[in-house]
Amino acid sequence: MSDIIRIRAGVKRNGFTLCLAGMVALFLSAMWLVWMPEILKLAGIFLTSASLVTILIGWLKIREPAYSFELTPDKFTYLHRFGSYSLDWNNIQRVDIPRLHTGLSHEPLELVGIRLKHYAPLLDNISPRLASNILMQQRPLLLQAQRQQCVGGGCYSDSLIEDDSFKSPEGKVYRGMIAMLAHRMQRMREAFGYDLYLYASELDREEREFVELLKSCQQKALEHY
């Protein structure tokens, strides 16, 4: 793999279009409130609210990085407006689509899971702000894991708050958001088999295609180690 492969986030699309549409709608709603009779003012207020929400969504899309992932011969990098993290290819143990076990069926999730060999390289470089965002982003997935455990006869604790102190196998102690992320990765590994999760909105292709891309890049990278 000689060149950098950049993956443009799906969530980034149509940001400017949404902002423009929202501003046009906001102008029309202002005209509505000025010229329409009192009985129709409620519709104007609703249109104004919808316009502001549209502008906000568009602005949030614009704020996202132009690319969500960078794949180089040395590492895999995740990019977010709250920070980034990089994983050496030789620290990735497995990449695949997690499955939710319900009874006898195995339902694939709309995610790509990454299982690490060692946590320390990630914990040493990720920012607390991005770690906090990952914890919040994974709350629905954790709730699914809790329901899965209950169906199987044993439940997780009802708490979604992780311990803020973590000691790595190498003996290093992490605290705060970084420690909470480490505990969360352990819980998610127990539930689904993976430590980190990439969401469909962050990809530019189907989950299976993205998995195959990562596996191909990793294989080529490991051939040069």
Side-chain angles (χ1 to χ4, degrees):
M1 186 172 56
S2 58
D3 300 323
I4 298 176
I5 299 176
R6 292 184 172 90
I7 306 297
R8 187 177 297 275
V11 72
K12 178 79 174 177
R13 297 170 188 156
N14 302 321
F16 287 105
T17 302
L18 284 173
C19 281
L20 180 60
M23 287 187 287
V24 171
L26 185 62
F27 173 78
L28 294 176
S29 64
M31 298 298 293
W32 183 290
L33 291 173
V34 169
W35 298 105
M36 288 297 174
E38 190 70 27
I39 194 172
L40 297 177
K41 288 292 179 68
L42 183 60
I45 294 174
F46 175 79
L47 180 58
T48 300
S49 301
S51 303
L52 293 174
V53 170
T54 302
I55 293 172
L56 176 61
I57 294 174
W59 172 243
L60 291 176
K61 283 177 173 284
I62 292 172
R63 288 184 61 201
E64 292 291 337
Y67 301 98
S68 51
F69 306 100
E70 285 187 354
L71 314 179
T72 71
D74 299 319
K75 62 187 61 178
F76 162 88
T77 300
Y78 172 77
L79 304 169
H80 193 274
R81 70 175 184 274
F82 292 145
S84 64
Y85 65 74
S86 294
L87 306 172
D88 290 341
W89 291 114
N90 60 0
N91 191 34
I92 296 178
Q93 180 177 341
R94 185 183 177 194
V95 179
D96 214 330
I97 298 176
R99 293 179 178 274
L100 180 65
H101 303 287
T102 54
L104 299 178
S105 64
H106 296 171
E107 180 183 350
L109 300 171
E110 294 183 352
L111 303 166
V112 172
I114 299 177
R115 185 179 178 113
L116 304 178
K117 296 178 182 177
H118 307 288
Y119 284 179
L122 171 68
L123 300 179
D124 289 339
N125 292 285
I126 194 170
S127 69
R129 193 178 182 193
L130 179 55
S132 175
N133 181 76
I134 292 174
L135 290 170
M136 294 297 295
Q137 189 181 45
Q138 289 184 350
R139 284 171 67 96
L141 192 58
L142 180 59
L143 289 173
Q144 281 186 300
Q146 290 178 331
R147 288 194 293 268
Q148 175 181 310
Q149 290 292 317
C150 290
V151 171
C155 295
Y156 277 124
S157 166
D158 291 336
S159 174
L160 296 177
I161 305 299
E162 309 293 346
D163 189 354
D164 63 353
S165 178
F166 176 81
K167 187 175 182 179
S168 71
E170 296 78 18
K172 184 173 181 178
V173 177
Y174 298 88
R175 301 193 183 279
M177 287 295 175
I178 306 301
M180 295 171 71
L181 176 62
H183 285 295
R184 174 64 59 81
M185 289 195 296
Q186 288 184 330
R187 292 177 70 179
M188 301 307 284
R189 176 183 287 200
E190 292 175 3
F192 297 110
Y194 301 91
D195 304 304
L196 298 170
Y197 297 84
L198 313 176
Y199 291 80
S201 62
E202 299 172 316
L203 310 179
D204 66 343
R205 64 198 73 192
E206 295 294 327
E207 292 88 349
R208 176 53 59 189
E209 294 179 12
F210 193 75
V211 167
E212 294 304 321
L213 173 64
L214 293 188
K215 287 182 177 180
S216 174
C217 292
Q218 183 184 31
Q219 182 178 359
K220 291 178 181 178
L222 294 181
E223 288 173 355
H224 294 84
Y225 275 102

